[in-house]
Amino acid sequence: MKEIFLLKLGEIVLKGANKRQFENKLRQNVRRRMKKYGNFDVYILQSTVYVEPLDDQADVDGAWEACRSIFGVVSLCRCRPCEKSLDAIFDAIENYLGDDLDCAKSFKVESKRSDKTFPLTSIQLSQEIGGRLAEAHPGVEVDVHHPEYTVYVEVRDLSAYVHGPAEPGAGGLPIGVGGRAMVLLSGGIDSPVAAYMMAKRGVEVEAVHFFSYPYTSQLAKDKVLELARLVTKYSGRMTVNIVSFTEIQEAIRDHCPEEFFTLIMRRFMMEIAQRIARCDGCGALITGENLGQVASQTMEAMTVTGAVVDMPIFMPLVGMDKKDIIAIAREIGTLDTSILPYEDCCTVFTPKHPKTKPTLGQVVNAEKNLDREALIARALESVEKVKVAYHDEPLL
């Protein structure tokens, strides 16, 4: 029989009456990810997603790699199905895992019997198969406490399945069960990590990026689109809304006190992002803000910038150390792109002495000479929607 994948569910198994909703969404997500790799049957039984290739043309290795980045899966394994008999299980292990066993110094068999009609208990099955394997591989010791290699046998409804140690999955919840949100995506390290972390909680992510040509280059724009593409390995396809921000930044420079430049700029960003988010069916904003990291991320500053919107603002990084954020960026593959030296609009017209503990009244007064509504309206007219997906060609 062909090799198949078993994807084990994580938090979903703890859900109550709406568990089926989470399972259905996960199955849809897996099916969509598998389309690129050929014909696969995807179904769920006993809190496990089965991914089965239907013909020899299926790209099994490509599909396996994709399954490792699907949220909602806590662990996964490649396995060989067989008939539910001792002889068939032993033969499947020998054919599928025999070489791995020969390379190990010690082994044990761990069994799980979900099909209670199977005549042996889990312990009895492990003992029987372990004894046969010990005879077949006399150079490999049996060690039930600290084995170098473990053979797993799962007797389930449809078949028995044999496999080696499972690999960790992406965890989290299936994309789509947590609603949709708009991430303010810069070219830095933090915002792609924030997008990834909210996607891991089942949020379908879109993005908005503020582009200040000619102060920022086409390379800076491509960098952000490449970051979005890298995040879609986990989040699935994404729309990036590119907003022309030059006029607003120049107006702030010409009409506002310098110490408030960054705060006023971020207030415009938040309000524009909220309007795009509402039009696109998003129920929240996501930022990569981290308390105390820069002058605009003090408690007072974040209160002022968040005051212009009335939808929830998710800040998954707010209490993290920078080294931990960098570690996640490295793990998900965005770090090397984030540190490329292409500046984004947040570095344009940066004040020498930014206000770190502003009040809302001070900032409102500082921006009183701006025609906010007209500036926002013209920025919204400039929005360019770019769709990105992980299998697109890299931009950098």
Side-chain angles (χ1 to χ4, degrees):
M1 299 178 74
K2 293 185 176 66
E3 181 182 56
I4 72 170
F5 309 152
L6 298 182
L7 315 183
K8 304 300 179 71
L9 276 56
E11 291 182 47
I12 297 175
V13 300
L14 303 176
K15 303 300 177 184
N18 60 349
K19 178 181 175 182
R20 183 61 59 85
Q21 173 189 344
F22 286 79
E23 290 183 341
N24 288 341
K25 178 58 70 173
L26 177 57
R27 184 173 64 247
Q28 292 171 11
N29 293 347
V30 175
R31 283 177 174 169
R32 185 169 59 249
R33 293 284 188 96
M34 294 301 100
K35 285 182 179 179
K36 175 179 173 58
Y37 303 101
N39 296 319
F40 288 83
D41 191 13
V42 179
Y43 51 96
I44 296 182
L45 292 171
Q46 297 175 315
S47 297
T48 300
V49 181
Y50 294 70
V51 182
E52 182 176 353
L54 297 178
D55 53 51
D56 293 335
Q57 285 69 50
D59 179 2
V60 175
D61 289 337
W64 170 253
E65 186 62 29
C67 286
R68 295 171 67 182
S69 60
I70 296 176
F71 289 133
V73 176
V74 69
S75 66
L76 62 164
C77 58
R78 301 171 77 142
C79 65
R80 177 68 60 82
C82 62
E83 294 181 5
K84 291 185 279 188
S85 71
L86 287 173
D87 289 341
I89 291 170
F90 174 74
D91 289 342
I93 293 172
E94 281 291 277
N95 293 329
Y96 189 57
L97 303 175
D99 290 344
D100 292 336
L101 268 171
D102 284 332
C103 293
K105 294 180 181 179
S106 60
F107 82 98
K108 77 170 182 176
V109 177
E110 190 168 309
S111 302
K112 182 178 180 181
R113 184 191 62 157
S114 300
D115 178 5
K116 300 307 180 184
T117 65
F118 189 75
L120 300 181
T121 66
S122 297
I123 294 176
Q124 290 170 336
L125 177 57
S126 294
Q127 291 172 336
E128 179 66 31
I129 295 298
R132 294 192 185 191
L133 290 175
E135 292 181 3
H137 302 269
V140 186
E141 295 181 0
V142 176
D143 184 346
V144 297
H145 298 294
H146 304 289
E148 185 175 306
Y149 189 80
T150 301
V151 174
Y152 293 88
V153 179
E154 301 187 40
V155 181
R156 292 172 164 266
D157 285 354
L158 301 180
S159 300
Y161 302 86
V162 302
H163 61 86
E167 295 189 14
L173 295 172
I175 297 292
V177 299
R180 301 178 72 191
M182 182 73 69
V183 60
L184 281 74
L185 190 64
S186 71
I189 295 171
D190 298 341
S191 56
V193 174
Y196 161 83
M197 291 181 68
M198 293 312 304
K200 189 171 183 176
R201 300 311 303 162
V203 175
E204 185 179 348
V205 178
E206 288 200 20
V208 58
H209 174 67
F210 297 91
F211 182 55
S212 292
Y213 183 82
Y215 302 105
T216 54
S217 66
Q218 179 64 39
L219 284 173
K221 178 180 175 181
D222 290 343
K223 173 184 175 180
V224 169
L225 292 174
E226 175 64 7
L227 287 171
R229 187 190 73 83
L230 293 171
V231 170
T232 62
K233 177 179 180 180
Y234 300 91
S235 69
R237 54 198 172 188
M238 183 191 303
T239 298
V240 182
N241 297 271
I242 308 292
V243 179
S244 178
F245 205 54
T246 307
E247 182 186 7
I248 291 176
Q249 287 196 283
E250 290 178 338
I252 295 170
R253 175 198 62 190
D254 295 340
H255 300 288
C256 301
E258 182 183 355
E259 63 181 333
F260 294 105
F261 279 1
T262 303
L263 292 167
I264 296 171
M265 177 193 72
R266 289 192 59 79
R267 281 164 60 84
F268 272 98
M269 287 179 172
M270 297 294 282
E271 188 164 354
I272 291 169
Q274 176 173 259
R275 296 197 191 189
I276 298 173
R278 283 214 167 99
C279 290
D280 290 357
C282 297
L285 301 178
I286 303 169
T287 73
E289 290 170 291
N290 179 256
L291 187 61
Q293 181 170 247
V294 294
S296 63
Q297 294 177 10
T298 64
M299 190 177 298
E300 294 85 354
M302 288 192 287
T303 299
V304 167
T305 56
V308 293
V309 300
D310 55 16
M311 63 169 47
I313 304 171
F314 296 149
M315 303 177 186
L317 315 185
V318 70
M320 296 179 64
D321 289 344
K322 190 67 176 184
K323 65 180 180 62
D324 297 325
I325 300 171
I326 290 172
I328 296 173
R330 183 178 287 112
E331 178 184 347
I332 66 177
T334 58
L335 180 62
D336 289 345
T337 301
S338 290
I339 62 178
L340 291 174
Y342 308 134
E343 295 183 334
D344 60 33
C345 69
C346 294
T347 61
V348 177
F349 310 135
T350 304
K352 293 180 180 179
H353 303 287
K355 191 77 170 178
T356 58
K357 294 187 177 182
T359 65
L360 182 57
Q362 288 174 334
V363 178
V364 170
N365 184 64
E367 63 187 20
K368 66 183 179 182
N369 293 326
L370 299 174
D371 189 343
R372 288 184 59 87
E373 192 56 41
L375 288 167
I376 290 172
R378 286 194 291 273
L380 290 171
E381 290 172 359
S382 75
V383 175
E384 174 192 5
K385 290 185 176 291
V386 182
K387 295 184 182 297
V388 296
Y390 186 65
H391 296 293
D392 296 342
E393 286 294 320
L395 289 166
L396 297 173

